[in-house]
Amino acid sequence: MALQGAPADAASFGHTARIVVGASERSCTGTLVSPRWVLSAASCFADATGVVQPGKPKVTTTVTVGRVDLTQTTGGAVRTAVELVPHPDRDLVMVKLGVGIANVKPVALATAPATADENVTAAGFGRTKTTWVPDRLHTASFTATGDASANVSLTAVGDAVICHGDSGGPILREAGGKQELLAVTSRSWMGGCVGTPATETRTGAVATRVDDVRTWITNTATPVPGDLTGDNKPDLVAVDNTGKLYLYPGTGTGALGSRTLIGTGGWSGAAVTHRGDWTGDAMEDVVAIVAGELRVYPNLGTGTLGSAIKVLTGLPTDSKLVNAGDINRDGHPDLLVQHSNKLYMYAGKSAPTPTVAAPVIVGNSGWDVMSLSAPGDADRDGRVDLLARDTRDGILYIYLGLANNLFGDRTEYGHGYTVTNRPLIAGAADADRNGVADMWTTVGDGTLKFYKGGSSIHGPIDGPSVEVGTSGWGAIKSIS
């Protein structure tokens, strides 16, 4: 990226990504902004008309993160891009990775624009003065000046220059001893780069600011609750009467696609749930209590599961659990575990080896007769809520999340949900993607129904429903 730019060190620039579009037909640079998303320049993916088509890349696109030396075969990760989300009016694109990356720390986003002649560092995998395809990340110094527009003007310090292959790379500022992503490289005069005519001597460049689109970046990168397959649609997990675990992919309408076997046996009697990333790779995982052990089953990218990670032992074998989401709002998923007529919260810590804190009682009595589910944020106040069905009379209650990490008094949410009429209940998060929490239930006749959430959490949702599974659901013993 620079005529005399220094090779970058992995500790400071591991978040910088090399992007190769197709069979090396085009290469760019990007920056890891969440474990499963890289931010780059939209122009890197533009078609012949200059347009970036959202969705799956038209050709295979490979993203390497965490390797400042591309000859490395260990450390970092190599991933395939599975989705492009271009910004509507800036040279920015979010690139979704097929599998998240837990061992590389994403860069922080700047919260303020560039000041006049601010000292910044640019990084990229592009050409240098003498090398067409470098195998190392290089960095160089520039001064940046922003204005009221989306552009940041870059002026080279010394003989620095931005070359082919650097597009999409990070422009970084130091703030409090830490790096912030200030802008993304967009275009350059490339004076002095190998392959540039000798008559071109200009070394200035333009980058696209990101401080004022942080919400767009964050919203794009935030996983959809309940989504195991990575398509931004909540899914259903079920255990059948032979002890097998199945994944039913959501369609975004409340209906489900054809099921996939993700657990070949041993799931009979297990308490199974899924809601949240437990391994730090921005992919929702499956959590279960099996024979008194609390286990996390890592999502390998499309809902298939890796080997179990044992988190806790010694729980009663008849414990029930629900992965409600981030109850205490610390950025990590939490669990609600029900046993001994009480309800306990286990605050989670997502990491390659996840952990839970000591349990806190959040319900003192009366919980043995309840079956629990996670509707998500039913009242849309930013806190997760709890759905509970009294198995004695079939009344469904909502417990709204409170600011103190507990739950408020219950409110009747529906009635007629007896274990005979509706054997199994599962909060569907927002399965039809309309912004309201939904629900799936099995029916006594062996079918599956979808209940579209109402406009108010205080009105019962036991009204109109849609049959989304025509038969065979009587053989299912648990759903989540």
Side-chain angles (χ1 to χ4, degrees):
M1 98 93 62
L3 297 180
Q4 302 296 328
D9 68 279
S12 299
F13 295 92
H15 51 64
T16 307
R18 186 186 187 223
I19 302 171
V20 178
V21 179
S24 299
E25 62 191 59
R26 186 185 304 172
S27 65
C28 296
T29 303
T31 311
L32 191 72
V33 292
S34 90
R36 203 174 182 182
W37 290 87
V38 165
L39 180 65
S40 187
S43 52
C44 184
F45 297 90
D47 60 21
T49 66
V51 175
V52 180
Q53 299 295 334
K56 184 178 179 180
K58 301 301 181 184
V59 295
T60 300
T61 298
T62 304
V63 182
T64 302
V65 183
R67 296 181 184 176
V68 297
D69 181 349
L70 296 175
T71 64
Q72 290 177 248
T73 57
T74 60
V78 180
R79 298 289 189 257
T80 299
V82 296
E83 183 182 0
L84 302 177
V85 181
H87 191 275
D89 54 24
R90 294 195 183 181
D91 188 15
L92 296 173
V93 64
M94 290 284 282
V95 182
K96 188 175 187 178
L97 309 179
V99 178
I101 300 173
N103 62 348
V104 178
K105 185 177 181 180
V107 73
L109 301 176
T111 59
T115 58
D117 296 324
E118 180 176 356
N119 293 321
V120 297
T121 300
F125 284 99
R127 300 175 187 176
T128 66
K129 180 180 180 179
T130 57
T131 307
W132 284 90
V133 186
D135 57 14
R136 287 196 62 91
L137 177 71
H138 287 80
T139 64
S141 297
F142 289 81
T143 59
T145 300
D147 55 30
S149 74
N151 294 330
V152 176
S153 298
L154 300 176
T155 301
V157 175
D159 54 4
V161 66
I162 289 172
C163 301
H164 275 298
D166 294 325
S167 178
I171 304 299
L172 301 159
R173 67 149 54 109
E174 289 284 334
K178 297 181 180 179
Q179 289 181 341
E180 289 183 350
L181 181 63
L182 178 67
V184 168
T185 302
S186 178
R187 53 198 183 275
S188 167
W189 290 107
M190 298 187 291
C193 299
V194 63
T196 299
T199 54
E200 180 57 77
T201 59
R202 290 170 291 184
T203 58
V206 176
T208 305
R209 63 185 288 198
V210 302
D211 62 281
D212 59 339
V213 292
R214 294 171 72 249
T215 299
W216 172 75
I217 295 170
T218 302
N219 288 347
T220 302
T222 299
V224 172
D227 174 26
L228 284 165
T229 59
D231 63 356
N232 301 322
K233 301 166 187 174
D235 307 310
L236 180 71
V237 169
V239 178
D240 75 358
N241 56 3
T242 67
K244 294 183 174 65
L245 185 69
Y246 289 94
L247 169 64
Y248 293 80
T251 63
T253 64
L256 300 169
S258 299
R259 71 183 188 180
T260 301
L261 181 67
I262 59 173
T264 57
W267 293 88
S268 293
V272 182
T273 185
H274 67 99
R275 187 65 53 81
D277 166 29
W278 283 84
T279 54
D281 57 7
M283 298 188 296
E284 187 160 292
D285 304 304
V286 169
V287 182
I289 295 177
V290 182
E293 290 184 354
L294 177 63
R295 303 174 182 175
V296 170
Y297 293 81
N299 185 350
L300 299 182
T302 57
T304 55
L305 303 180
S307 300
I309 302 170
K310 188 185 300 183
V311 178
L312 190 67
T313 60
L315 290 168
T317 56
D318 62 348
S319 297
K320 303 171 187 176
L321 86 161
V322 61
N323 191 353
D326 184 9
I327 298 172
N328 59 12
R329 304 175 77 185
D330 66 349
H332 300 272
D334 305 309
L335 290 174
L336 293 171
V337 177
Q338 171 190 3
H339 65 76
S340 308
N341 210 29
K342 293 181 173 62
L343 185 65
Y344 300 86
M345 185 188 83
Y346 288 80
K349 178 74 172 179
S350 56
T353 303
T355 58
V356 293
V360 175
I361 295 176
V362 294
N364 282 298
S365 63
W367 289 93
D368 277 356
V369 297
M370 295 293 189
S371 55
L372 307 181
S373 191
D377 180 12
D379 60 348
R380 290 173 283 182
D381 66 348
R383 300 181 179 90
V384 297
D385 306 311
L386 176 65
L387 203 59
R389 185 257 304 268
D390 191 324
T391 57
R392 297 169 298 183
D393 55 19
I395 296 178
L396 192 63
Y397 296 98
I398 188 81
Y399 293 79
L400 299 180
L402 302 178
N404 60 0
N405 304 331
L406 300 177
F407 294 94
D409 294 336
R410 69 187 189 183
T411 300
E412 185 175 323
Y413 200 46
H415 48 266
Y417 292 92
T418 65
V419 293
T420 300
N421 292 335
R422 301 291 184 266
L424 304 173
I425 293 174
D430 180 16
D432 58 0
R433 310 300 293 131
N434 70 344
V436 181
D438 307 310
M439 186 173 71
W440 285 299
T441 74
T442 60
V443 184
D445 62 4
T447 60
L448 180 74
K449 287 187 179 292
F450 171 69
Y451 288 82
K452 184 175 181 177
S455 59
S456 169
I457 58 92
H458 298 292
I461 62 169
D462 51 352
S465 60
V466 178
E467 185 176 287
V468 293
T470 57
S471 63
W473 288 89
I476 299 299
K477 298 305 176 184
S478 75
I479 59 175
S480 67

